[in-house]
């Protein structure tokens, strides 16, 4: 009797589980070697200013735990981006697509860090740039941690043939995408607001703050959204 081929779920592959386990392993390692990082993340997320004590004693761009958290967050963001592009844009699934997104998020983060440092050197004044640099990294990490349970719920395996017969069983994935997109929008808007508060608090004129936000924050996001819209299916196509 010939073997019947079963449809496979592109969002529940073994490699996705490995990515999630690696991210959780990174969190466990950081919790073991530097538990104070969680207090720092919580405190910095719910306050508009980090404080000079935190900047001097608790934050270091060469800190391996902070670098590990940034890499983990980029992996989580790339996984959510992979799920979104496969479900909404219907791009061919596979670890190669995730790897491209992972590299893109890491590269974007590095470019933002370099641009912030370059701006400080060019103008010869800090103007809150040092504090904003760490705020950028910490909010990036916070978003990645928040997206981990969302990506896990979307990646929960199921019978693809059953979901085709009963599309209502895909509803939780639709809500997972909406929650994830909501988190991305909220954290991004919160980062822009904090950038404005930091600049104005350091005495930077509002026009310079606006130019910075447009050139280094809003414009890249707008270009990324424009590129993403090119891959979206017809609006009549159900998610």
């Amino acid at each position: 009797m010939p073997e019947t081929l079963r449809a496979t779920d592109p969002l529940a592959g073994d490699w996705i589980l490995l990515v999630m386990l690696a991210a959780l392993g990174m969190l466990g390692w950081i919790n073991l070697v530097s538990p104070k990082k969680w207090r720092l993340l919580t405190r910095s997320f719910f306050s508009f200013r980090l404080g000079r004590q935190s900047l001097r004693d608790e934050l270091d761009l060469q800190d391996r735990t902070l670098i590990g958290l940034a890499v983990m967050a980029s992996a989580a963001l790339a996984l959510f981006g992979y799920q979104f592009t496969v479900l909404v844009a219907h791009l061919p699934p596979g670890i190669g697509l995730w790897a491209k997104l992972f590299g893109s998020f890491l590269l974007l983060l590095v470019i933002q860090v370099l641009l912030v440092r370059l701006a400080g050197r060019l103008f010869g004044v800090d103007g809150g740039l040092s504090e904003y640099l760490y705020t950028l990294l910490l909010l990036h990490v916070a978003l990645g941690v928040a997206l981990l349970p969302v990506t896990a719920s979307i990646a929960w395996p199921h019978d693809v043939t059953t979901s085709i017969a009963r599309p209502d069983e895909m509803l939780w994935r639709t809500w997972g995408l909406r929650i994830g997109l909501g988190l991305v929008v909220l954290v991004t808007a919160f980062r822009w607001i904090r950038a404005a508060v930091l600049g104005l608090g350091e005495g930077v004129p509002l026009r310079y703050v606006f130019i910075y936000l447009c050139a280094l924050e809003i414009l890249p996001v707008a270009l990324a959204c424009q590129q993403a819209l090119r891959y979206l299916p017809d609006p009549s196509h159900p998610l």
Side-chain angles (χ1 to χ4, degrees):
M1 189 173 177
E3 183 180 357
T4 303
L5 295 177
R6 295 184 58 188
T8 58
D9 186 352
L11 300 182
D14 294 338
W15 67 267
I16 295 179
L17 177 61
L18 292 177
V19 170
M20 291 185 176
L21 289 177
L24 292 176
M26 178 67 72
L27 293 178
W29 172 74
I30 292 172
N31 186 62
L32 181 65
V33 301
S34 184
K36 68 178 182 179
K37 278 292 186 296
W38 304 118
R39 296 193 300 270
L40 174 63
L41 283 172
T42 303
R43 186 172 70 249
S44 62
F45 186 83
F46 291 103
S47 60
F48 276 90
R49 301 300 299 265
L50 295 178
R52 299 190 181 278
Q53 184 71 23
S54 296
L55 289 173
R56 183 173 59 251
D57 300 334
E58 300 180 9
L59 291 169
D60 182 3
L61 285 179
Q62 296 181 348
D63 183 359
R64 59 180 181 174
T65 58
L66 185 59
I67 295 174
L69 283 171
V71 173
M72 179 280 306
S74 298
L77 282 165
L79 187 55
F80 177 74
Y82 168 82
Q83 294 169 333
F84 180 85
T85 53
V86 170
L87 286 174
V88 178
H90 305 292
L91 293 184
I95 192 172
L97 175 59
W98 173 83
K100 291 179 181 178
L101 292 171
F102 177 52
S104 299
F105 280 116
L106 271 181
L107 180 61
L108 178 61
L109 183 62
V110 171
I111 290 175
Q112 286 181 312
V113 170
L114 293 177
L115 287 176
V116 171
R117 284 195 154 184
L118 179 61
R121 290 182 180 273
L122 288 177
F123 293 108
V125 293
D126 185 88
L129 288 175
S130 296
E131 185 172 348
Y132 178 70
L133 176 58
Y134 291 108
T135 299
L136 169 70
L137 290 172
L138 292 174
L139 290 181
H140 179 79
V141 170
L143 178 58
V145 172
L147 284 177
L148 274 178
V150 176
T151 56
S153 65
I154 296 175
W156 189 265
H158 72 293
D159 189 347
V160 176
T161 56
T162 303
S163 68
I164 294 175
R166 296 181 57 189
D168 58 295
E169 294 188 3
M170 294 287 287
L171 183 62
W172 93 93
R173 280 185 167 170
T174 301
W175 278 107
L177 289 180
R178 291 173 178 173
I179 292 172
L181 287 174
L183 288 173
V184 172
V185 171
L186 287 175
V187 172
T188 302
F190 185 46
R191 194 175 79 192
W192 293 349
I193 294 173
R194 286 182 66 162
V197 171
L198 285 174
L200 295 175
E202 294 291 330
V204 179
L206 181 60
R207 62 182 181 276
Y208 292 135
V209 174
F210 180 74
I211 291 174
Y212 166 79
L213 288 175
C214 288
L216 301 183
E217 294 283 347
I218 299 176
L219 182 59
V221 172
L223 291 175
C225 291
Q226 183 183 23
Q227 288 295 110
L229 289 174
R230 295 175 55 188
Y231 296 101
L232 291 181
D234 187 87
S236 61
H237 193 288
L239 182 62

